[in-house]
Amino acid sequence: MEEDFTIQPYGPHPHHTGIAVPIFALRSKNSSGIGQFSDLKLLADFAHKSDMDVLQLLPINDTITFMDWRDSYPYRAISVFALHPIYLDIHAFLDDYTKLQQTALLEEEEQLNALQQIDYERVLAFKWKYAKLIYDKQATKLKATADYQNFYNKRKDWLLPYACFSYLRDKNKSAEFSSWGTYANYTEDIFEKLSQDKKVADILDLHIFVQYLLHTQLKEAVDYCHSLGVAIKGDIAIGIAHDSVDAWVNPDLFNLDMQAGAPPDVFAVNGQNWGFPTYNWEEMAKDDYAWWKHRMTAMSEYFDAYRLDHILGFFRIWEMPAGSVRGLLGQFSPAIAMSAEEIENNYGIPFRQWSPERFTKPFIKDWVIDEVLGRDNRDYIIQRFLDYVGGGNYQFKPDFDTQRKVEAAGLEDWMRDGLYTLHENVIFVKDRKNEYLYHPRITLMTNTSFREFGNEYKERIERLYNDYFYGRNYDFWKERAYEKLPAIKHATNMLACGEDLGMVPNNVPDVMYRLEILRLIIERMPSDDSFVNGLQYAPYLSVVTTSSHDTSNIRAWWQEDRAVTQRYYNEIMGWYGEAPWEATPEIVQEIIKRHLNSDAMIVALPIQDWLGMSPDLRFADPHQEQINIPAEAFHYWRYRLHLNLEDLNNNTGFTNFLSQFVQDSKRSV
């Protein structure tokens, strides 16, 4: 990376414009059914012609865990250092293949590129097939170069464990390293032991070699972007895969018996369970967060800026026990839990008098079963899943006493989800470190256990709930953030941006401002009770966007709620009369124009929304352009741009339109 290429606040060009698009979504004539690192050069050409100077990506690390389409999820990395092999440009080595291999490659590429969406499993198998051919042809020559040796020596602290992990995962057909017998626990001599077998040594060498190819292709693309004055903004995921190289090598840095996620929000009413282990911050602090610093330094080779995914996790993380499937039984960690004495003395709730079990065990009675699962199903539910414990109360049988056990039973969706709801029918969850301390269950006022209390006690519980979630921990969390974020931010010169959506404590914006970490502002997702985020109030230290990979694009959002659309059309856009049923190109242009004229340092819009301004280039069905659906635990991330980048670059009418559109705003570069 060019040492003098930076993107910083209050620089020579204070306002920047960008395109947000995952690499996997890119489409070019020489791609192999998925976007690849080399496609960034074509995207940079398009951005440059359109007077834009930032390309915003999703995570690019290796995610191969399940060895199927579920690995399309880019936020579950098996290594925070290794790049994903699926982004390798195998077409670039066309001359190295035999005529027969060339013909087969071109035929397969033609079929894969004709698909509207990504066939993840087929593409990955195809890439590996040709990666092995490249290795056979090129490895001996390239490994002798100084460039390869520098790459290897500088990174072997993670390359060797990564190669071992990848080999053992494939050999055992599982990334669950606890099941690997002799190799369940990582030791520094594992690479040497495995390498004693020549065939295994070659496989290990292949994984390292592919990482070198990925590095060189990405570095070449980044350097090309810089030559055009285009910056790369990466994405640093909050979590890692439970079964990952990092957890295998450094288990003490993670709480492997816990799961990270998010409390309920507009994306997921039952909360989100990402399945990641949570960080053992106390252990990480002992060496001043060396693992994080190493991670950031590695990514700074490619990125000029980064989006710190779920920055709230550096204040506190939503943490669930291993037995949870959904997010409602979580608790913030760290957090100041409540004692029985505090619950009783400060809020007048007879916690011990009525027994802690009344508040912490699932509240299950006949009428609750009827309401959740249906009266006609009550007898069957009791017989199969519950034991009677007296007083009209039931508890789960041992075989079903966690949500994970229910999940494993292979039940119909309605029954499984109903049993999950019964598990969640509690008022408090026990603190994970001290079973005699308690946290109110998130959104507890919506469950049937809460409804059983009289109005007086409902008011007391609700007061406790509001005190706990809206103020009690704010200063405590602020202190925790100031312990971690400065060390991580100052590890590199990259511009730091944070994804601060969700249940945001009111002091988070202040911390981010003081540390010069840019906030994320999506107009339709206000941070308070306002109808929308007022773009005219967007602070300079922010990234403003119309949509994200977790939301619908402008055109699909326009059709989601007619009342919201009408109000937005009249009040926010200031246009009169009845709102059209479709977001016409003129409407999309007006919305984007208002974003570009905000004072935010960066406006980075999804490529779907940029194309939505054109009547000729927009995709026919905007609802098919959403990249992720957060409420789905296993969503297939397979969105792909419907246009080739070469065709976009050659469409001078559109690039000229975009260039003029940007120049007419305060963002002209």
Side-chain angles (χ1 to χ4, degrees), residues 201 214 256 301 311-312 315 456 502 505 646:
L214 290 163
L256 295 174
E301 291 200 70
I311 196 171
L312 299 180
F315 292 75
E456 180 182 353
E646 293 92 343

Side-chain angles (χ1 to χ4, degrees), residues 153-171:
N153 291 325
K154 184 178 178 180
R155 298 165 180 81
K156 65 180 180 180
D157 62 315
W158 65 261
L159 274 172
L160 303 191
Y162 167 75
C164 293
F165 182 95
S166 299
Y167 164 74
L168 291 167
R169 174 202 61 211
D170 296 346
K171 177 178 183 292

Side-chain angles (χ1 to χ4, degrees), residues 4 52 424 532 545 555:
D4 60 348
M52 302 184 204
E424 295 156 354
V532 296
T545 187
R555 295 164 58 215

